Amino acid sequence: MLKPRSTATRELVNLDGIWRFAVAGTVGPEPWTGPLGTRLEAPVPASYNDLFTDRAIRDHVGWVWYQRQVRVPRGWTGERVVLRVDAATHEGRVYVGDALVAQHVGGYTPFEADITEHVGPGEEFRLTIGVDNELTGVTIPPGTITVAQDGRRKQTYLHDFYNYAGLARSVWLYSTPPVHVDDITVVTGLDGADGTTGTVGYTVGTNVPAAVRVRALDAHGTEVAAGEGANGTLRIDDVTLWRPGAAYLYELVVDILDGDGDGGGGDRVVDTYTEPFGVRTVEVRGTRFLINGEPFYFTGFGKHEDSPVRGKGHDDAYLVHDFQLMEWIGANSFRTSHYPYAEEVMEFADRHGIVVIDETAAVGLNLAVGSGLMGTPPRPTFSEDTFHDDTRAAHAQAIRELIARDKNHPSVVMWCIANEPSSNEKGAREYVEPLVELTRRLDPTRPVTYAAVMFATHDNDLIADLFDVLCVNRYYGWYVATGDLAAAETYLEADLRGWAEKFGKPIMLSEYGADTMPGLHSVWDAPWTEEYQLAYLEANQRAFDRVEALVGEHVWNFADFQTADGIHRVGGNKKGVFTRERHPKAAAHALRRRWTVLGGRKPSPAVRPGDDGRPEHDARHGDGGRPAVPPESGQA
């Protein structure tokens, strides 16, 4: 799905701002048939949960309603009028006047509707959008709804971040000509012995058969290649590559012509669309991850779209500031944990050379984690009574929509199709293998990964061989060997070496971290203190530096974030190296010292960033007679 852009043939109206807002049950049964009877108003984009002081709104399970008046620009006569919602978490329904024009399930990808037949140029119409936050066994992410004795509906879920809901991203009205471009796919490569010629494979979709012309422009707007037809390959001599930390973007200008497309004087442009792209290659070779043929070492974070008051609401100020903090700390990458982020985030990463692991919202497909936390009897994760074919169908649709939206971003170097699925359980392979095959069919150019939960080891994991890169989430020193960093370091190194020796693939620490209360200090390695977070990271990093197959380290998390209420979390998850308000903890400065030295290169075991001169295995960091593999333990 193409992102709406203003071009010579298209216009764009942003519908962000203050909308009327109501919770289902407080207005009539069909609130879209007239003005919402409410005094409440809510900003778009923003999650609604933290805006109001009424706890019933924050805890509401079900539909809420947004409404505003919209005027179609009077100059859109003869144009196609489209309404687009960047995201409605987790289900959306769109009404123009009394007419339902769009419905979509999935909280983090866009959907749109052609409303040309419902509106007219210069006319005003009533726009109502319903948003449902319910999670069930057939949604991605999944959840469960129960009804309390007093009739209140309660939502539970297995992911460790708050179920913010609403219109957290922008809403748009835009125009296109009746004959228009509706899809573009760009695949880049390098050609020639010296690798100085870029290849740009393109496929253009149009709503009806049409003559197509394409042109590639460099960053100065100079044409560097051109072609005719809806698909083909352009060649760019002396190409400037898109590189981590050194982004360079070209533009592919796609024109639909009303003539025969031969470029003669009779050809008239009836639609034009510009798609930015970067020329770069991605490859897994042995245990190395290569970008443009050069080994790349990931440094950075799992993140969240999370900030005070806004919840998951996109905010350009936070976008710029977060990227500034990542640059300051030396991070070259992040994972969109645990859902697709706003398209503005992806575009910013493209422009600034930040590498992205792009993830679906498939988090929580693991009933063993919940059983371990609550002490309840385990249930099978994959079964007719839990997660089954219908769940996988929703999961597959999430993958389709993610790739359709983000396939042309040069910053995206890998697809992550699930976070911490129960990959060691019976039924895991049957559930996952078709999804891996689907991902490769949709995009054969990028590696595919998943993030393995602590329960899944190299001995019992049933799906690791299906993937190109093995991302593992490990919390030795926090959920396992809590407070014993010597044991944690030994356990982690043995764990990583087990994966490397069995599968011979690149391995990445996609999560490691320790909850830390800012301002809490101790002279000992006491969990929750800033000193412990620092010592925890260093112990993990020493193990990383001794495992040759490791290709990256993502700390969990970039910043503290909100979670569901409960005894396992006090005011949210505190594993951030920045607070929720983006103030650095002590660990942030230590990471900066390490990562700015690494600069995207794998550290040498002999000389490690920040090495204090101690022997590789001293008394503090030896195995202490402990087993090389720890007992199984859960995490929260």
Side-chain angles (χ1 to χ4, degrees), residues 226-269:
E228 304 287 343
N231 56 76
T233 300
L234 306 180
R235 296 175 65 85
I236 302 176
D237 296 328
D238 297 319
V239 69
T240 301
L241 297 179
W242 187 96
R243 299 180 184 277
Y248 188 94
L249 294 178
Y250 292 87
E251 290 185 337
L252 187 73
V253 181
V254 177
D255 297 328
I256 295 183
L257 309 174
D258 68 352
D260 58 13
D262 64 1
D267 292 338
R268 180 177 65 90
V269 174

Side-chain angles (χ1 to χ4, degrees), residues 123-241:
E123 294 179 357
E124 190 175 63
F125 67 91
R126 183 179 67 253
L127 173 61
T128 309
I129 302 179
V131 184
D132 183 12
N133 66 352
E134 295 185 19
L135 298 173
T136 69
V138 294
T139 63
I140 296 295
T144 303
I145 296 172
T146 57
V147 179
Q149 289 184 342
D150 60 4
R152 286 179 299 118
R153 303 175 76 239
K154 301 181 68 174
Q155 176 80 72
T156 57
Y157 42 90
L158 296 167
H159 55 270
D160 187 31
F161 55 94
Y162 192 82
N163 188 39
Y164 282 113
L167 295 176
R169 298 175 189 166
S170 292
V171 180
W172 306 89
L173 191 72
Y174 73 94
S175 69
T176 76
V179 178
H180 56 273
V181 178
D182 60 17
D183 191 36
I184 299 171
T185 301
V186 178
V187 177
T188 65
L190 292 174
D191 199 6
D194 55 1
T196 60
T197 300
T199 60
V200 184
Y202 66 88
T203 301
V204 177
T206 56
N207 67 312
V208 296
V212 174
R213 177 181 67 195
V214 299
R215 294 172 290 139
L217 310 181
D218 67 13
H220 302 289
T222 302
E223 183 177 301
V224 293
E228 304 287 343
N231 56 76
T233 300
L234 306 180
R235 296 175 65 85
I236 302 176
D237 296 328
D238 297 319
V239 69
T240 301
L241 297 179

Side-chain angles (χ1 to χ4, degrees), residues 63-97:
W63 290 90
V64 299
W65 299 96
Y66 293 80
Q67 192 179 83
R68 62 164 290 172
Q69 295 295 116
V70 178
R71 185 174 297 279
V72 180
R74 62 183 182 177
W76 287 12
T77 301
E79 297 293 288
R80 175 173 171 262
V81 182
V82 183
L83 183 77
R84 173 185 165 111
V85 180
D86 281 350
T89 309
H90 297 279
E91 180 179 352
R93 293 178 186 168
V94 180
Y95 296 84
V96 172

Side-chain angles (χ1 to χ4, degrees), residues 242 244 280 282 289 291 296 298-299 301 303 323 326 332-337 339-342 345-351 353-359 402 405-406 409-416 446-447 449 508 554:
W242 187 96
R280 60 103 182 96
V282 177
F289 193 97
I291 299 179
F296 180 73
F298 295 81
T299 58
F301 301 96
K303 291 181 86 272
F323 272 77
M326 285 192 287
N332 60 24
S333 56
F334 64 91
R335 176 168 60 119
T336 69
S337 46
Y339 37 82
Y341 290 178
V345 177
M346 314 306 289
E347 292 174 328
F348 203 93
D350 290 342
R351 296 194 300 271
I354 299 295
V355 172
V356 179
I357 300 172
D358 209 357
E359 186 165 287
L402 172 67
R405 195 196 74 167
D406 290 350
H409 290 290
S411 59
V412 175
V413 301
M414 189 155 50
W415 303 116
C416 183
R446 288 178 175 90
T449 190
M508 180 175 172
H554 275 180

Side-chain angles (χ1 to χ4, degrees), residues 367-372 375-381 425:
L367 297 180
V369 171
S371 296
T376 57
R379 291 191 299 154
T381 298
E425 275 194 58

Side-chain angles (χ1 to χ4, degrees), residues 304-352:
H304 267 299
E305 290 184 315
D306 177 275
S307 61
V309 182
R310 299 166 184 81
K312 292 200 176 309
H314 176 72
D315 185 287
D316 284 338
Y318 270 101
L319 167 66
V320 171
H321 188 54
D322 283 359
F323 272 77
Q324 280 286 296
L325 291 176
M326 285 192 287
E327 180 179 344
W328 171 84
I329 207 170
N332 60 24
S333 56
F334 64 91
R335 176 168 60 119
T336 69
S337 46
H338 298 298
Y339 37 82
Y341 290 178
E343 286 175 277
E344 290 83 357
V345 177
M346 314 306 289
E347 292 174 328
F348 203 93
D350 290 342
R351 296 194 300 271
H352 292 270

Side-chain angles (χ1 to χ4, degrees), residues 47-60:
S47 303
Y48 65 79
N49 308 82
D50 292 350
L51 298 176
F52 306 101
T53 56
D54 186 349
R55 182 64 184 252
I57 298 177
R58 178 178 172 83
D59 293 344
H60 174 70

